[in-house]
């Protein structure tokens, strides 16, 4: 729906909505004009509030002091109307692709490596990295514990239901080394191609790309047949 689309494209308000449902989210503040702001955490990432694909993110996005943070805020506000300052959570980059409505027919967790690393302490996936395709998707098996993977899958279903998302979505997380699951953002129009995370999912599950597309079509047609 229109409201759900607007909510999920807004990092700050989607996180706020889920925080009220007891889902872990990083501390954050929303900023619309330059100023001298206090940091919400010891280490933060400054990024556009309503952009995807790492747009607006560079190596300067991670800030360790208030001066650097406010400088980055001022810089981004010249290009974007809203900026979110978010607590930087060290850990694994994880994404979960979900297909289904009342019945979930696919719920696959992948771990992302980039800069030749799995666990990140202050690195970011910049817009340049995104364009160059430097990240790699991996099966979570052997990287995350089974209980953590199960928690991510259940949290993804809870988020999908709480935000009233139909058919399919991709949800991004940061998982700490002590297995805390932090929601970062949700994408209701994720990339669907053989060279995106979908190609890795197909390989992991032993299905063809057109079979993956069939799962989405099946989910949509079943929803309309019930309305």
């Amino acid at each position: 729906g229109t409201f759900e689309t607007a909510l999920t494209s807004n990092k700050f308000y989607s996180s706020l909505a889920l925080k009220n449902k007891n889902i872990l989210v990083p501390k954050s503040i929303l900023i619309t004009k330059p100023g001298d702001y206090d940091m919400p955490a010891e280490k933060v990432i400054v990024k556009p509030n309503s952009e995807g694909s790492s747009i607006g993110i560079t190596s300067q996005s991670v800030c360790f002091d208030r001066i650097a943070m406010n400088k980055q805020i001022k810089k981004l506000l010249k290009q974007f109307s809203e900026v979110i300052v978010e607590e930087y959570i060290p850990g694994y980059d994880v994404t979960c692709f979900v297909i289904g409505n009342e019945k979930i027919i696919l719920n696959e967790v992948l771990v992302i490596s980039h800069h030749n690393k799995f666990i990140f302490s202050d690195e970011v996936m910049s817009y340049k990295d995104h364009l160059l395709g430097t990240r790699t998707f991996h099966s979570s098996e052997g990287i995350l514990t089974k209980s953590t993977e199960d928690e991510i899958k259940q949290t993804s279903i809870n988020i999908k239901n709480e935000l009233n998302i139909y058919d399919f979505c991709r949800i991004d997380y940061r998982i700490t080394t002590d297995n805390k699951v932090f929601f970062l953002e949700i994408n209701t129009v994720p990339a669907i191609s053989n060279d995106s995370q979908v190609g890795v999912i197909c390989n992991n599950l032993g299905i063809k790309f057109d079979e993956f597309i069939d799962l989405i079509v099946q989910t949509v047609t079943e929803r309309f047949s019930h309305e």
Side-chain angles (χ1 to χ4, degrees):
T2 303
F3 174 78
E4 290 81 7
T5 300
L7 179 61
T8 55
S9 65
N10 188 302
K11 294 179 176 67
F12 180 79
Y13 285 111
S14 57
S15 291
L16 188 61
L18 293 172
K19 180 182 179 181
N20 289 333
K21 296 297 181 178
N22 297 316
I23 289 172
L24 279 179
V25 301
K27 299 174 184 176
S28 63
I29 54 176
L30 181 65
I31 295 174
T32 58
K33 60 182 180 180
D36 186 13
Y37 297 95
D38 290 328
M39 296 178 69
E42 292 183 2
K43 180 166 46 178
V44 299
I45 178 169
V46 183
K47 55 188 177 181
N49 184 44
S50 300
E51 298 289 344
S53 303
S54 298
I55 292 173
I57 296 178
T58 68
S59 58
Q60 286 76 47
S61 296
V62 178
C63 303
F64 301 87
D65 61 69
R66 191 171 68 179
I67 294 174
M69 182 192 76
N70 285 304
K71 181 179 179 180
Q72 189 65 15
I73 290 169
K74 183 178 180 180
K75 179 180 177 181
L76 283 184
L77 285 174
K78 293 178 179 179
Q79 305 173 61
F80 307 99
S81 60
E82 293 183 337
V83 168
I84 183 172
V85 178
E86 184 178 87
E87 177 185 11
Y88 186 99
I89 305 292
Y92 296 93
D93 263 348
V94 171
T95 190
C96 186
F97 205 111
V98 183
I99 301 176
N101 292 309
E102 292 184 8
K103 179 183 178 183
I104 300 299
I105 59 177
L106 185 142
N107 192 348
E108 190 71 8
V109 178
L110 298 177
V111 180
I112 303 169
S113 68
H114 55 90
H115 300 135
N116 298 314
K117 296 183 69 174
F118 279 99
I119 300 176
F120 310 109
S121 56
D122 53 27
E123 300 84 359
V124 293
M125 181 74 178
S126 69
Y127 183 55
K128 182 179 179 180
D129 291 324
H130 185 87
L131 292 176
L132 293 176
T134 59
R135 64 180 176 176
T136 305
F137 295 94
H138 307 264
S139 169
S140 61
E141 185 177 354
I143 302 174
L144 303 177
T145 65
K146 181 64 166 58
S147 60
T148 300
E149 181 181 347
D150 290 343
E151 182 180 350
I152 294 167
K153 289 181 177 181
Q154 185 58 57
T155 301
S156 298
I157 294 172
N158 295 344
I159 289 172
K160 187 175 181 297
N161 291 338
E162 292 292 352
L163 298 180
N164 199 30
I165 304 303
Y166 295 139
D167 306 329
F168 66 97
C169 63
R170 192 198 75 218
I171 305 174
D172 297 334
Y173 299 94
R174 183 56 67 91
I175 313 301
T176 65
T177 53
D178 58 351
N179 298 317
K180 292 180 181 177
V181 178
F182 282 86
F183 166 84
L184 295 182
E185 60 184 88
I186 182 169
N187 190 335
T188 56
V189 283
I192 299 178
S193 64
N194 267 320
D195 58 359
S196 70
Q197 71 269 22
V198 172
V200 178
I201 291 172
C202 290
N203 288 335
N204 288 348
L205 299 181
I207 62 176
K208 297 178 180 178
F209 181 73
D210 57 353
E211 293 174 322
F212 185 95
I213 301 301
D214 284 343
L215 294 178
I216 294 177
V217 174
Q218 174 189 334
T219 299
V220 175
T221 54
E222 286 182 356
R223 175 167 62 85
F224 278 107
S225 68
H226 292 157
E227 291 184 349

